[in-house]
Amino acid sequence: MTIIVETLDLGGTGLRVVVKDTIDVAGTATRASSKSLEQAPLAAQHADVVANLLAAGARLTAKVSLHELAFGTTGINHYTGTAMNPKYPGRIPGGSSSGSAAAIAAGLADFSLGTDTGGSVRIPACCCGVFGFKPTFGRVSRKGVMPSRTSLDCVGPFAASLPMLVRAMTLIDPTFVPAQVPREARVGVLRVTAEAAIQKVVHGALTASGLSLGNVEFKHFGAAYDAGMVVINRETFDACGHLLATGNVGADIAGRLAAAGQTTDTALAEAEQVRRRFTEEVDLALTRFDVLALPTMPDFPLRIEDAGDTRAVLGMTSLVRPFNLSGHPALTIPLGSEAGLPVGLQLIGAKGADEKLLAVAERLLQNIHG
């Protein structure tokens, strides 16, 4: 299975960590799983998150693969090869941080780091049946992470357990101090469109949690998804559009990049208005509830043979992308299903309240598992 793109042995004897190959590691090239970056120069210094890991004694063992240029949701990569989904063979590993999720599902590391611009931590975590966390935008340093300029992207961890995910946050974010697990919490359940089998699993988990539940509906949720696409397209083209001239960008990504280059200033301005309105909606809901809850994905992960057209399957991010636009922290919790396929329960917290969000998630899991 194509997960590791470069083997490393950096750091002490602590936790084993692998990182997505959009994160700089001194002395290695950051290639973002793209032939167009085959001749990229070696990084002169570590990204801040890598430096923090090494300073804490973690052992960095590898850089891992991704959907080319982090511009896709399936994880399918015809250049480096597609990371196999260890728990659900034949299903997509999700993208763009496919290798980061697959490495945890395969037991190759204690935790891993990916990046999330439009669901790129939460989608692969859901597909591979592990925990994945997108911190509040700007909470975790992105210095030394590709792309250098973004209003959406966040570095976030994957782990097989919530306590390990919390541990990962303490290592990559010096300001993160785990919160005490609350006895009670108010959960706003967001009304969204998803397959009945997915809704059944999520509803069952929330009901079993015994937490106080209430209904939430957002007027601008759909518009936020569309606006998020506009912003991602503009910012990805600004960062990577020049690579089209190499002729070495994969055909699927090249087509998306070329189309992204047509994003107008007017469309971007309208997207920013939606960002403001949707953010206000989420902020207001989080004055009534401790966290918000909804599925991570609207359906089960696709089979690899059914996911070849990246643009045709972007709808799999319909429930995650809006929270990149708003910047709120978001966690996906792995759940099982009668179909034997993965389901994700997504929890959203107030901006800057990452510790509280993870503590409420711990209470929910403790209640479910007794």
Side-chain angles (χ1 to χ4, degrees):
M1 46 188 174
T2 308
I3 296 176
I4 295 173
V5 296
E6 185 156 2
T7 301
L8 305 169
D9 189 4
L10 301 176
T13 57
L15 296 172
R16 297 169 303 148
V17 185
V18 301
V19 301
K20 183 178 184 177
D21 193 22
T22 54
I23 300 173
D24 284 350
V25 175
T28 72
T30 300
R31 297 190 175 96
S33 290
S34 178
K35 187 177 181 181
S36 67
L37 291 171
E38 208 168 34
Q39 303 303 317
L42 304 184
Q45 60 187 37
H46 296 311
D48 282 355
V49 287
V50 171
N52 289 342
L53 288 174
L54 298 179
R59 182 184 170 198
L60 187 60
T61 62
K63 297 188 83 172
V64 291
S65 60
L66 57 140
H67 200 117
E68 185 178 0
L69 298 178
F71 200 35
T73 61
T74 64
I76 294 173
N77 190 308
H78 300 295
Y79 170 60
T80 61
T82 301
M84 182 184 295
N85 189 328
K87 290 187 178 181
Y88 304 97
R91 301 281 170 167
I92 58 171
S96 63
S97 306
S98 50
S100 301
I104 297 305
L108 299 180
D110 294 304
F111 70 87
S112 64
L113 296 185
T115 61
D116 191 314
T117 311
S120 289
V121 165
R122 289 159 290 160
I123 292 296
C126 180
C127 290
C128 293
V130 300
F131 290 84
F133 183 55
K134 180 195 83 69
T136 299
F137 178 77
R139 176 75 190 258
V140 175
S141 173
R142 292 192 69 267
K143 184 179 179 182
V145 178
M146 177 186 176
S148 59
R149 296 180 63 186
T150 176
S151 67
L152 302 169
D153 191 53
C154 306
V155 176
F158 296 80
S161 72
L162 188 56
M164 181 57 71
L165 198 79
V166 171
R167 181 79 183 278
M169 283 299 298
T170 67
L171 298 188
I172 65 173
D173 176 9
T175 72
F176 187 95
V177 179
Q180 184 174 355
V181 177
R183 295 184 62 182
E184 302 289 341
R186 300 162 299 158
V187 180
V189 183
L190 184 58
R191 186 177 301 175
V192 295
T193 300
E195 288 297 316
I198 303 293
Q199 298 277 30
K200 179 181 178 181
V201 172
V202 169
H203 176 74
L206 292 173
T207 301
S209 75
L211 299 178
S212 175
L213 306 179
N215 293 323
V216 176
E217 192 164 0
F218 289 141
K219 177 181 178 181
H220 300 292
F221 192 77
Y225 169 78
D226 293 335
M229 281 297 306
V230 170
V231 177
I232 285 174
N233 284 339
R234 168 57 72 86
E235 293 185 350
T236 303
F237 183 79
D238 288 348
C240 301
H242 67 284
L243 296 174
L244 289 171
T246 68
N248 289 326
V249 177
D252 57 335
I253 301 302
R256 281 197 71 200
L257 262 182
Q262 303 304 309
T263 305
T264 66
D265 290 345
T266 298
L268 191 63
E270 291 172 351
E272 291 299 337
Q273 292 178 14
V274 173
R275 190 202 298 257
R276 177 183 54 78
R277 290 193 292 265
F278 179 65
T279 300
E280 290 173 352
E281 273 191 309
V282 181
D283 287 341
L284 181 60
L286 286 165
T287 65
R288 298 167 45 217
F289 298 100
D290 295 298
V291 299
L292 307 178
L294 69 160
T296 305
M297 289 174 56
D299 205 345
F300 296 119
L302 292 166
R303 294 186 177 278
I304 289 177
E305 60 266 25
D306 297 328
D309 186 343
T310 299
R311 282 176 282 189
V313 300
L314 287 174
M316 64 192 292
T317 66
S318 62
L319 306 181
V320 290
R321 192 181 303 274
F323 300 106
N324 291 89
L325 189 73
S326 67
H328 292 85
L331 168 73
T332 183
I333 296 172
L335 302 173
S337 69
E338 293 177 357
L341 292 170
V343 173
L345 167 59
Q346 185 179 193
L347 298 182
I348 310 299
K351 288 185 180 180
D354 302 48
E355 293 91 342
K356 178 182 177 180
L357 171 58
L358 296 181
V360 170
E362 183 61 40
R363 169 51 61 203
L364 182 148
L365 289 173
Q366 288 177 4
N367 288 0
I368 290 174
H369 299 307

